[in-house]
């Protein structure tokens, strides 16, 4: 399914790995996924930057996700 927003309004993304790691640590051991946002945007997906500098999108299909080795 990729990343879906669930009960939230959007999927939340971080621009930097360290920010993602810090946020993820609040919920246990973080797993950092890399999103090909450039490719997503070229395929018509929209991104929004929130006031607290979190990137938001409606979903991330699995073909745009790179999982850690």
């Amino acid at each position: 399914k990729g990343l879906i927003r669930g009960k939230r309004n959007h999927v939340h993304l971080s621009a930097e790995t360290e920010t993602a790691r810090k946020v993820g640590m609040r919920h246990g051991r973080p797993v950092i996924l890399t999103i090909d946002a450039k490719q997503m945007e070229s395929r018509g997906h929209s991104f929004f930057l929130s006031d607290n500098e979190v990137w938001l999108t409606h979903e991330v299909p699995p073909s745009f996700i790179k999982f850690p080795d």
Side-chain angles (χ1 to χ4, degrees):
K1 291 184 181 181
L3 300 177
I4 57 173
R5 59 188 179 189
K7 294 181 181 180
R8 293 178 168 233
N9 291 324
H10 298 92
V11 173
H12 295 202
L13 305 172
S14 302
E16 300 88 25
T17 301
E18 190 53 35
T19 301
R21 188 177 324 283
K22 287 179 184 176
V23 171
M25 298 260 315
R26 295 186 301 198
H27 306 283
R29 185 174 175 200
V31 175
I32 308 299
L33 306 176
T34 303
I35 308 302
D36 191 344
K38 186 174 184 177
Q39 186 69 13
M40 278 184 65
E41 186 178 42
S42 75
R43 300 268 176 93
H45 294 269
S46 298
F47 294 88
F48 313 93
L49 186 60
S50 69
D51 291 339
N52 62 346
E53 299 191 11
V54 173
W55 284 98
L56 309 171
T57 190
H58 294 290
E59 66 176 345
V60 180
S63 61
F64 298 107
I65 301 172
K66 180 180 179 193
F67 292 88
D69 296 329

